[in-house]
Amino acid sequence: EFRSSSGLSFRYNGQKDPGETWKGVFDHHSMHLKYRGNGNLKELIIGDYQVNFGQGLSLWSGSNFQATGLGASFVQFGNGPQAYAGNDEQRFFRGISGRYDFGKIEGYGFYSYRLLDARETDLGLKVSNGGYARTEEERHRKNRLPLSSYGFSLAYKGETFDLQLIHHQHHLKGGINSENRTWQNLKLETSNYRQTSLHIQYLWEGFFLVSECTLDQNLKSAGYFSWQKTWRDKFRLQQHL
């Protein structure tokens, strides 16, 4: 890991899972170069990153270990792309992301292209989690399924009112090459997904209100609403719908 006073930082992580054959190189590599500035360009990440927006209904690629005990808030705060150099081999993006200040509006943008681990099925390639490459079959699954993603967010942050518009699209492409079904040979399957969401936070008369609604390309929707009231930092009442 490297950090400089100019706002530049670099981090690299190499990993070998237990049981994998060591061939002088790591099986999994994750790295990023990040710039953080004080001007209009607040942040630029080249390499690996995770993207967390809103309450998770829209886009949440990283892990979420959220405390839910007494005195802890249930509300998540997704704050856009975050630099990543970890051991999880699937749940991250690889490309470029940035955060730019337009005055009262803050903009995020990202583009990613990477290959996911996948196994063959009669219906095509299916994403395979775990990241292990111990056996010949597991090694054959490595980096087989191309995924391209991009998206943006525009956020207004006021004293008592926050509003964020989020849009992202994904293109997943895989081939079917099962030899025992000749009619399926070389047939391509392409999957596209896009979603738009609106995230709102409002502080009113001591009540903290949070709402999020999403809509995908098939007009399927999802929604989340919660409110929270705290008295003297000792007693908290919450409701989530």
Side-chain angles (χ1 to χ4, degrees):
E1 184 174 356
F2 165 79
R3 297 178 182 270
S4 73
S5 58
S6 63
L8 280 175
S9 63
F10 173 80
R11 186 178 179 186
Y12 168 80
N13 177 53
Q15 176 203 357
K16 185 186 81 69
D17 290 317
E20 294 179 350
T21 303
W22 174 254
K23 297 182 179 180
V25 295
F26 292 104
D27 173 72
H28 169 64
H29 306 269
S30 182
M31 69 184 78
H32 65 258
L33 177 67
K34 182 174 72 173
Y35 168 76
R36 178 168 292 178
N38 296 320
N40 294 100
L41 180 60
K42 297 299 184 182
E43 188 174 83
L44 181 67
I45 302 172
I46 300 175
D48 298 342
Y49 57 90
Q50 292 180 325
V51 180
N52 299 331
F53 281 122
Q55 298 299 303
L57 289 181
S58 176
L59 184 60
W60 201 282
S61 65
S63 299
N64 177 34
F65 299 98
Q66 187 75 10
T68 57
L70 292 177
S73 174
F74 287 83
V75 179
Q76 300 178 143
F77 296 93
N79 50 359
Q82 300 292 309
Y84 177 77
N87 293 330
D88 192 315
E89 300 184 26
Q90 294 287 77
R91 291 182 296 179
F92 67 91
F93 293 102
R94 176 165 288 168
I96 185 170
S97 73
R99 177 165 58 100
Y100 195 87
D101 188 355
F102 294 94
K104 293 185 178 181
I105 304 296
E106 192 171 55
Y108 297 85
F110 69 92
Y111 174 79
S112 168
Y113 177 83
R114 60 173 305 223
L115 299 175
L116 302 178
D117 295 351
R119 59 183 177 86
E120 292 183 10
T121 70
D122 289 340
L123 298 178
L125 293 175
K126 182 179 181 180
V127 174
S128 178
N129 294 315
Y132 290 112
R134 299 163 299 186
T135 65
E136 186 62 33
E137 180 182 358
E138 290 175 341
R139 286 190 288 269
H140 186 62
R141 298 176 183 177
K142 297 290 290 184
N143 301 328
R144 302 195 61 199
L145 190 57
L147 172 66
S148 57
S149 306
Y150 64 90
F152 70 89
S153 167
L154 296 174
Y156 169 80
K157 297 185 180 295
E159 294 183 0
T160 60
F161 178 74
D162 293 350
L163 179 67
Q164 188 174 30
L165 175 68
I166 307 158
H167 178 79
H168 54 99
Q169 297 189 194
H170 309 271
H171 177 78
L172 190 65
K173 184 176 181 180
I176 297 177
N177 55 7
S178 175
E179 295 181 356
N180 61 347
R181 296 194 178 185
T182 56
W183 61 276
Q184 288 183 339
N185 283 353
L186 303 179
K187 178 182 177 182
L188 294 179
E189 295 253 342
T190 302
S191 177
N192 294 282
Y193 180 77
R194 62 182 181 272
Q195 186 189 72
T196 302
S197 66
L198 188 66
H199 178 73
I200 301 171
Q201 294 184 172
Y202 184 50
L203 181 62
W204 174 75
E205 298 293 333
F207 285 87
F208 182 53
L209 310 176
V210 177
S211 178
E212 185 169 272
C213 56
T214 69
L215 191 68
D216 67 11
Q217 79 273 19
N218 297 317
L219 301 182
K220 293 182 179 179
S221 61
Y224 171 88
F225 175 78
S226 72
W227 63 268
Q228 176 178 293
K229 172 68 174 179
T230 304
W231 288 268
R232 297 183 179 180
D233 296 326
K234 294 182 179 180
F235 180 73
R236 177 176 295 166
L237 183 64
Q238 299 172 326
Q239 185 177 20
H240 304 266
L241 302 173

